[in-house]
């Protein structure tokens, strides 16, 4: 098992390095090279990689959490509040403008309205990882347009759970989702937001000054990872997307004396 995992990680990293070098040489976004190289070495290409394994999937999920954690680090709570209009209105309008035409076309082609609505809703989602990575490569994450794009991505992440909860209703399995389930989700979401705001203040005023006094990089890394995975796990247990938890963990550590240091420490792991 260990040797197989080592082979898979080595193959992925080597292919990624080769793709990155080629893309930089021809001035092409590295993401395109990564995806093409993944197709080449995968089962649909030369078959150098076996079918997807649980271990590799878990490593990939950790990378996604680190990326969303870094997004949260770049935002302050005040800035997120200022983005509220773009996040709610912009995100809602974007999803409606995509979902409604897609569903209408599918219905016109003869598909029943229930699966058409589900497919239309799914088509309205974007990949937070791909879009944010592209924005970072173009140096757009700090621009007003880039900030608004990230706000829309965050809205999509938050909208995923209500859409998944609506699937049983659209598939005539409404009995599996009682009204109490929706109320519990709403209460859990509100409680999660309050807890994040409270913990952010506690970290800034008490925990971070105490840990800074030890002058230990190891403790900074360990505390960061504990916070990241604790908040992500808590979001998952509450029925929220783990991606929202990872972003919230970054938001809790943003805007203080630790922020730049943590971002620099996380950078190599996130990129790999």
């Amino acid at each position: 098992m260990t040797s197989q995992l080592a082979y898979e990680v080595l193959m992925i990293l080597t292919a990624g390095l080769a793709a990155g070098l080629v893309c930089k040489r021809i001035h092409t976004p590295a993401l395109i090279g990564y995806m093409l190289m993944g197709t080449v070495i995968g089962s649909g290409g030369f078959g150098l990689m076996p079918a997807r394994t649980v271990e590799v999937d878990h490593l990939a999920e950790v990378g996604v959490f680190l990326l969303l954690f870094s997004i949260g680090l770049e935002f302050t709570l005040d800035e997120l509040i200022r983005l509220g209009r773009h996040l709610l209105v912009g995100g809602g309008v974007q999803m409606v403008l995509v979902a409604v035409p897609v569903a209408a076309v599918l219905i016109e082609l003869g598909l029943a309205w229930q699966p058409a609505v589900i497919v239309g809703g799914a088509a309205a989602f974007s990949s937070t990882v791909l879009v944010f990575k592209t924005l970072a490569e173009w140096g757009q994450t700090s621009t007003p347009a880039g900030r608004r794009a990230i706000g829309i991505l965050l809205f999509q992440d938050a909208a995923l759970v209500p859409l998944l909860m609506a699937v049983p209703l659209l598939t005539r399995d409404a009995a599996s989702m009682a009204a109490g389930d929706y109320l519990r989700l709403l209460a859990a979401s509100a409680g999660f937001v309050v807890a994040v705001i409270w913990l952010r203040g506690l970290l800034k005023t008490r925990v971070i000054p105490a840990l800074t006094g030890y002058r230990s990089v190891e403790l900074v890394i360990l505390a960061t990872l504990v916070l990241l995975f604790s908040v992500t796990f808590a979001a998952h247990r509450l029925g929220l997307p783990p991606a929202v938890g990872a972003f919230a963990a970054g938001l809790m550590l943003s805007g203080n004396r630790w922020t730049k240091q943590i971002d620099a420490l996380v950078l190599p792991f996130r990129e790999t």
Side-chain angles (χ1 to χ4, degrees):
M1 180 65 71
T2 302
S3 60
Q4 179 64 29
L5 177 60
Y7 165 78
E8 294 173 3
V9 172
L10 175 61
M11 185 61 65
I12 291 172
L13 294 179
T14 303
L17 176 60
L21 290 172
V22 172
C23 289
K24 290 300 182 182
R25 178 63 64 89
I26 63 177
H27 304 290
T28 301
L31 276 176
I32 296 177
Y34 294 154
M35 290 188 288
L36 290 177
M37 187 62 79
T39 303
V40 170
I41 69 174
S43 57
F46 291 106
L48 300 177
M49 286 287 296
R52 290 178 61 186
T53 58
V54 175
E55 292 83 2
V56 173
D57 282 352
H58 288 337
L59 288 174
E61 288 176 0
V62 171
V64 172
F65 294 154
L66 289 172
L67 176 64
L68 293 167
F69 175 75
S70 297
I71 297 175
L73 281 177
E74 293 196 7
F75 282 86
T76 64
L77 193 58
D78 293 337
E79 186 177 14
L80 192 63
I81 293 174
R82 289 196 300 270
L83 266 180
R85 178 169 59 89
H86 300 291
L87 191 150
L88 297 175
V89 178
V93 170
Q94 179 270 332
M95 295 194 71
V96 169
L97 290 179
V98 174
V100 172
V102 171
V105 170
L106 293 175
I107 293 172
E108 189 66 25
L109 292 176
L111 191 65
W113 73 269
Q114 293 94 336
V117 170
I118 294 174
V119 174
F125 286 92
S126 309
S127 170
T128 302
V129 174
L130 293 179
V131 176
F132 180 77
K133 182 77 172 172
T134 303
L135 289 173
E137 286 190 3
W138 291 348
Q140 295 293 313
T141 55
S142 299
T143 64
R147 288 300 214 224
R148 293 167 186 171
I150 293 173
I152 292 175
L153 293 172
L154 295 176
F155 179 88
Q156 292 177 355
D157 289 334
L160 178 61
V161 172
L163 180 65
L164 292 176
M165 296 183 70
V167 170
L169 299 178
L170 297 173
T171 55
R172 300 180 182 177
D173 189 22
S176 64
M177 292 298 297
D181 294 323
Y182 294 96
L183 293 177
R184 279 192 292 273
L185 176 63
L186 183 62
S189 301
F192 184 76
V193 171
V194 172
V196 166
I197 295 174
W198 179 75
L199 287 172
R200 185 176 186 272
L202 181 66
L203 286 168
K204 187 174 183 178
T205 58
R206 299 289 182 85
V207 178
I208 291 176
L211 284 175
T212 303
Y214 290 104
R215 301 181 181 277
S216 171
V217 176
E218 298 163 17
L219 290 180
V220 172
I221 295 174
L222 287 173
T224 300
L225 293 178
V226 168
L227 177 69
L228 167 59
F229 290 107
S230 296
V231 179
T232 302
F233 179 71
H236 171 69
R237 291 293 302 221
L238 291 173
L240 301 172
V244 172
F247 173 80
L251 186 65
M252 290 164 61
L253 289 175
S254 65
N256 60 64
R257 59 185 299 182
W258 252 14
T259 303
K260 291 184 178 179
Q261 182 181 6
I262 290 172
D263 193 36
L265 292 171
V266 168
L267 177 64
F269 301 103
R270 183 189 75 208
E271 294 303 313
T272 303

